[in-house]
Amino acid sequence: MVEYQTILEEIHESLKNVENTGEVASYIPELANVSKDKFGIHLQLITGENFAVGDASEKFSIQSISKVLSLVKAFQLIGNDLWERVDVEPSGNPFNHLSLLELENGIPRNPLINSGAIVIADVLLSHLKNPKEDFLNFVRELTHDESIHYNEKIAESERVTGFNNYAAANLLKAYGNLNNKVEDVLDFYFHQCSIMMDCRQLTNAFFVFANKGKCIKEVQHLTPSQVKRINAIMLTCGFYDEAGEFAFEVGLPGKSGVGGGIVALLPHCYTIATWAPALNPKGNSYLGMQALEQFTTKTKLSIF
């Protein structure tokens, strides 16, 4: 019997004493206000048991973690037609680089870099009646939690500083890979990134990927085939140009965000989320990456 609670406490204790060389994402002013000392972990087993330590119940901006959830919704809506507008290859570049986009004629490398997620936002804008409201309701359905909201201050903070995203969206528009107005697509994109969740809510949201497409209430949201594909994209593309390192050290599909969150999963076994706002140079949580490496090492539970 694995002593999950003991393991989480050991990891939390060992990393609390590590010199935290990470930096909070200051290029989004609202994120710069968060203390770099926050650190929480929540684990949810497929059997329904939950374990937590530290600041696991404090809400934070999920940022790029939302890209997986918007991808799910777009996949639900248009199926495999999605792959005509966005590829599924690792980028090998930082999440906000534009050079590949031009080289590859406006087709983003994958849906988890910024340009790819902006294309996904465009798909949702075209297919949802009330895009922001409908998407938020979808996230609430996945988690069975009505307390999840957008953070308007963060969305606005991203809008006034998101020059790189405007550049990406305009480039996509120039190549004919954006059907809606740039301003409208980015307004939706900035809002999806501003969603506030805690570690437990993230493990609930990502439960579908560990449970063959069924959420915590056993409602089928995705087919097992769709889950397989999204898990593959998370494993190869979920951590920007550190995806190989995460697969090597941790061995789980997952996704990080510059709000300091990471969520990962082992199919048929568990979902786990960490939050520690200070980021390493690649934009991933400095303590979160180490916590997940320790977790899969101590429990011997990874996909490899």
Side-chain angles (χ1 to χ4, degrees):
M1 176 69 185
V2 181
E3 293 292 332
Y4 290 108
Q5 188 62 40
T6 304
I7 287 171
L8 292 190
E9 286 166 8
E10 283 174 2
I11 293 169
H12 191 260
E13 192 57 36
S14 74
L15 290 175
K16 260 195 338 187
N17 300 320
V18 163
E19 185 193 352
N20 190 344
T21 60
E23 295 295 333
V24 175
S26 57
Y27 61 90
I28 299 171
E30 279 295 320
L31 295 186
N33 299 329
V34 182
S35 164
K36 70 183 280 185
D37 297 326
K38 298 288 184 183
F39 181 31
I41 311 171
H42 188 100
L43 169 70
Q44 178 161 200
L45 302 185
I46 206 85
T47 50
E49 296 149 279
N50 285 271
F51 308 89
V53 67
D55 301 306
S57 59
E58 188 169 332
K59 290 194 175 188
F60 57 91
S61 170
I62 68 169
Q63 291 294 314
S64 286
I65 295 171
S66 68
K67 292 172 181 173
V68 180
L69 304 177
S70 59
L71 171 61
V72 168
K73 191 65 195 168
F75 207 3
Q76 280 184 345
L77 290 166
I78 67 169
N80 288 326
D81 289 350
L82 195 59
W83 312 123
E84 291 173 18
R85 295 186 57 188
V86 60
D87 209 341
V88 294
E89 291 295 328
S91 72
N93 274 345
F95 56 89
N96 56 1
H97 263 215
L98 301 180
S99 50
L100 278 175
L101 195 56
E102 195 160 18
L103 276 176
E104 294 169 1
N105 300 317
I107 303 293
R109 266 292 168 100
N110 66 70
L112 302 185
I113 52 175
N114 289 15
S115 56
I118 290 168
V119 169
I120 300 295
D122 183 61
V123 170
L124 295 183
L125 221 59
S126 296
H127 288 84
L128 296 176
K129 204 171 181 181
N130 303 298
K132 284 189 282 197
E133 191 182 321
D134 293 349
F135 181 66
L136 185 60
N137 285 334
F138 168 65
V139 175
R140 289 169 171 174
E141 279 169 29
L142 276 183
T143 54
H144 296 272
D145 192 334
E146 292 295 313
S147 74
I148 294 169
H149 292 282
Y150 296 119
N151 184 321
E152 294 290 345
K153 269 189 170 176
I154 289 177
E156 176 62 14
S157 190
E158 296 201 50
R159 188 186 69 78
V160 298
T161 58
F163 305 113
N164 195 282
N165 288 315
Y166 281 97
N170 279 297
L171 202 49
L172 289 163
K173 189 77 172 169
Y175 280 105
N177 201 7
L178 223 56
N179 296 324
N180 297 281
K181 286 183 185 171
V182 164
E183 292 76 14
D184 295 345
V185 175
L186 288 177
D187 178 59
F188 178 85
Y189 175 69
F190 295 144
H191 273 82
Q192 77 169 55
C193 289
S194 80
I195 286 176
M196 301 293 286
M197 291 166 89
D198 63 27
C199 289
R200 178 169 188 160
Q201 289 168 325
L202 276 177
T203 66
N204 286 343
F206 278 64
F207 196 84
V208 291
F209 307 115
N211 194 36
K212 297 180 182 172
K214 292 179 182 175
C215 67
I216 50 171
K217 300 284 189 186
E218 292 295 308
V219 178
Q220 192 86 44
H221 289 273
L222 290 165
T223 67
S225 169
Q226 288 173 322
V227 168
K228 180 181 88 169
R229 281 164 173 73
I230 291 173
N231 280 343
I233 292 169
M234 279 197 275
L235 182 71
T236 55
C237 310
F239 296 84
Y240 317 125
D241 49 335
E242 203 171 14
E245 181 76 9
F246 190 82
F248 181 76
E249 297 283 357
V250 181
L252 298 172
K255 185 73 193 85
S256 61
V258 296
I262 299 178
V263 60
L265 64 114
L266 180 60
H268 322 302
C269 193
Y270 64 79
T271 53
I272 186 168
T274 64
W275 176 51
L279 309 177
N280 68 19
K282 299 287 177 75
N284 296 312
S285 172
Y286 178 72
L287 293 182
M289 298 287 275
Q290 294 176 70
L292 291 168
E293 187 277 324
Q294 283 196 33
F295 180 79
T296 54
T297 298
K298 286 173 184 284
T299 59
K300 299 180 175 59
L301 292 171
S302 79
I303 63 173
F304 300 115

